[in-house]
Amino acid sequence: SYVLTQPPSESVAPGQTARIPCGGNNIEIKSVHWYQQKPGQAPVLVVYDGADRPSGIPERFSGSNSGNTATLSISRVEAGDEADYYCQVYDGSGDLWVFGGGTKLTVL
Amino acid sequence: QVRLVQSGTEVKKPGSSVKLSCKASGGTFSDNVLNWVRQAPGQGLEWMGEIIPVFNKPTYAQKVRGRITISVDGSTGTAYMEVSSLTSEDTAVYYCAQSKGGSHSWDSWGQGTLVTVSS
């Protein structure tokens, strides 16, 4: 089955850019979705299909996907961006959906 | 955007079953797909299965296949997931989430239901 790998944690200073990687075999051919989850809340979609943003999500959130790594970037990081971030892809064989293990973003 | 409302907290004994519900505001899932995931305490998201309400066709994750049943009542716009033979490893928050099917993202999520399995 398909495996997505994320670092358990990332740290960034306010105002800087956070980059959260999601590794998978030839992930560039897949549609990657990203979710933000704050403590005690349900996940919220922040980027879909690799680089698109749902309405209401700030332009500071962006995504890219190349080779074996997809990346969620958050520019001008704010304290309110502190959360867990999960990448997700549709595999279609075995288990239909796969999530990365999640990355806890800490704003210093 | 469709709002999903889930049933309340459950406390169950090992070996028992639990049936969770997820109701769509407006009383219909339209042509969307309804997914279920769970999150054990301090852990990540684990996909459990999905159902295409229009066809009442479920698909299950390998890990839980045979132990869960996903169904839908189209007349009320409510989806259900029943988990049987509960163990402490099933203690988790269970979420339903909606997508347009295929590889489309999940754009609406329920608030989650905490299930605690304890003797």
Side-chain angles (χ1 to χ4, degrees):
Chain A
S1 60
Y2 197 76
V3 176
L4 294 175
T5 301
Q6 296 183 242
S9 62
E10 294 281 353
S11 301
V12 63
Q16 300 302 303
T17 297
R19 293 181 177 84
I20 299 173
C22 173
N25 184 39
N26 205 21
I27 197 173
E28 67 178 358
I29 68 171
K30 296 187 179 292
S31 289
V32 181
H33 313 308
W34 290 91
Y35 300 88
Q36 175 194 68
Q37 186 181 34
K38 296 182 178 180
Q41 298 183 20
V44 172
L45 180 69
V46 292
V47 167
Y48 66 97
D49 292 345
D52 294 329
R53 273 187 320 277
S55 60
I57 299 301
E59 291 183 7
R60 300 185 298 105
F61 288 80
S62 62
S64 61
N65 190 5
S66 178
N68 294 317
T69 304
T71 303
L72 173 69
S73 298
I74 310 170
S75 62
R76 302 184 300 283
V77 165
E78 305 171 354
D81 299 328
E82 192 164 277
D84 294 326
Y85 291 85
Y86 294 91
C87 57
Q88 178 200 40
V89 300
Y90 180 79
D91 187 25
S93 61
D95 285 358
L96 295 182
W97 287 98
V98 179
F99 287 93
T103 297
K104 181 178 181 60
L105 178 67
T106 299
V107 180
L108 300 171
Chain B
Q1 193 177 36
V2 174
R3 182 168 170 252
L4 301 175
V5 180
Q6 298 185 235
S7 49
T9 299
E10 301 270 6
V11 179
K12 294 293 183 179
K13 300 285 188 189
S16 67
S17 298
V18 66
K19 190 171 185 177
L20 312 177
S21 69
C22 172
K23 183 173 175 57
S25 63
T28 176
F29 293 110
S30 299
D31 297 330
N32 294 320
V33 175
L34 202 287
N35 294 274
W36 289 91
V37 295
R38 70 182 176 184
Q39 187 170 38
Q43 303 300 310
L45 301 169
E46 178 185 17
W47 180 73
M48 299 193 73
E50 70 170 31
I51 190 164
I52 306 174
V54 171
F55 301 120
N56 205 10
K57 175 181 178 295
T59 304
Y60 303 117
Q62 293 176 0
K63 181 179 177 182
V64 292
R65 195 171 297 155
R67 226 170 36 92
I68 73 168
T69 302
I70 297 174
S71 59
V72 66
D73 182 344
S75 66
T76 61
T78 305
Y80 301 91
M81 181 173 69
E82 183 168 21
V83 186
S84 61
S85 303
L86 291 167
T87 72
S88 58
E89 293 188 355
D90 294 312
T91 294
V93 175
Y94 289 74
Y95 294 100
C96 61
Q98 188 170 262
S99 73
K100 290 179 170 55
S103 63
H104 288 284
S105 58
W106 301 2
D107 53 7
S108 285
W109 291 67
Q111 83 277 18
T113 296
L114 173 63
V115 176
T116 301
V117 182
S118 174
S119 55

